[in-house]
Amino acid sequence: MPTPEQTAAVDTAIITRRSLRAFLPTPVPRETIEAILQVAARSPSGTNTQPWKVYVLTGHAKEELSRKVAAAYDDPEQRAQHSEEYAYYPTEWKSPFIDRRRKVGWDLYGLLDIAKTDKARMHAQHRRNYEFFDAPVGLIFTIDRVMRQGSWLDYGMFLQSVMVAARGRGLDTCPQAAFTQFHRIITAHVGAPDNEQVVCGMSLGWADPDAIENTLVTEREPVSGFARFLE
């Protein structure tokens, strides 16, 4: 049986995981990144298929990818030539999902003092995704195109394991679907073969404790709101 201290450590890593949007430039040692990925590799997958592949970008490689993607994002004509390969969000929204989406968006913009009509600052804030929010490590996750929905469920567990393992080491993350629009730029930059599809990106690093956006804590439904116990 785990000790109370072990249980608390696991719970703390999960509960304190948040999508942070401002990082310090402090480097993360390669051995730390490798340790996080090695732990995450123990995530479950159907018949042990292990469908994940990770490209770890630091230094010049990360900066160059950010430059390329941000340039395409800033140019309306270029941006129009890029689209996601898969639908992350529903095409038709309904309550309570749309309500939660709107709330987290306006809560973040409220902290940053971005008005609903300030399109330029909204653009600039979204652009920070492509700079990995200044994190020293950028992760790009891909999956083989032959894999189906079950493997994508497995992939979600792997991503969670990466984030929880990072928290266990005092690091923070931000999983980012924003990268999927520019998958062609990304795969060319990292040298991914044609059979690989971009799942998402992720920022990894030490949180900036002075950044106001990092004070955002999203709300969660109580267990009674989403679980039904049958006896």
Side-chain angles (χ1 to χ4, degrees):
M1 290 291 291
T3 66
E5 292 76 17
Q6 290 171 326
T7 299
V10 173
D11 288 352
T12 298
I14 295 172
I15 293 170
T16 61
R17 184 222 61 81
R18 292 185 291 132
S19 296
L20 297 193
R21 294 173 175 84
F23 293 83
L24 299 174
T26 309
V28 178
R30 176 168 176 164
E31 54 267 30
T32 301
I33 303 170
E34 290 180 346
I36 289 170
L37 295 176
Q38 190 63 57
V39 169
R42 297 304 308 177
S43 300
S45 60
T47 61
N48 198 33
T49 48
Q50 303 176 62
W52 39 79
K53 186 164 185 180
V54 189
Y55 294 87
V56 182
L57 294 93
T58 59
H60 179 72
K62 181 182 73 72
E63 293 168 3
E64 272 298 290
L65 177 61
S66 293
R67 182 189 64 78
K68 293 175 183 177
V69 176
Y73 174 69
D74 286 339
D75 185 324
E77 290 187 9
Q78 284 194 56
R79 188 167 70 246
Q81 297 173 20
H82 296 273
S83 59
E84 297 84 353
E85 284 196 280
Y86 72 94
Y88 185 90
Y89 292 110
T91 54
E92 295 183 18
W93 287 92
K94 66 178 184 179
S95 183
F97 313 113
I98 185 62
D99 308 313
R100 294 169 182 162
R101 175 181 170 87
R102 286 171 176 162
K103 177 172 173 48
V104 70
W106 293 123
D107 283 352
L108 174 62
Y109 286 157
L111 287 172
L112 294 170
D113 197 26
I114 299 176
K116 294 184 178 182
T117 56
D118 196 340
K119 303 300 183 183
R121 289 193 64 197
M122 288 182 187
H123 178 93
Q125 177 59 31
H126 188 76
R127 187 184 193 276
R128 284 183 48 73
N129 274 283
Y130 308 123
E131 299 167 347
F132 293 98
F133 298 110
D134 298 324
V137 182
L139 304 174
I140 296 295
F141 300 91
T142 66
I143 189 171
D144 196 295
R145 295 178 184 280
V146 303
M147 307 309 278
R148 291 295 178 257
Q149 189 171 7
S151 293
W152 284 72
L153 294 174
D154 297 340
Y155 216 121
M157 291 186 279
F158 173 74
L159 293 171
Q160 172 76 347
S161 295
V162 169
M163 294 184 282
V164 171
R167 282 303 303 136
R169 291 161 173 78
L171 292 159
D172 281 287
T173 54
C174 185
Q176 296 159 268
F179 279 101
T180 60
Q181 179 180 1
F182 301 99
H183 59 90
R184 288 189 285 112
I185 295 174
I186 294 168
T187 52
H189 182 79
V190 302
D194 291 341
N195 63 293
E196 290 181 19
Q197 179 178 357
V198 173
V199 174
C200 68
M202 184 183 292
S203 301
L204 170 68
W206 308 96
D208 182 348
D210 298 323
I212 187 66
E213 56 265 50
N214 284 346
T215 65
L216 176 65
V217 179
T218 55
E219 297 178 357
R220 290 294 191 271
E221 281 286 301
V223 172
S224 60
F226 63 81
R228 181 183 179 191
F229 291 81
L230 306 174
E231 298 179 356

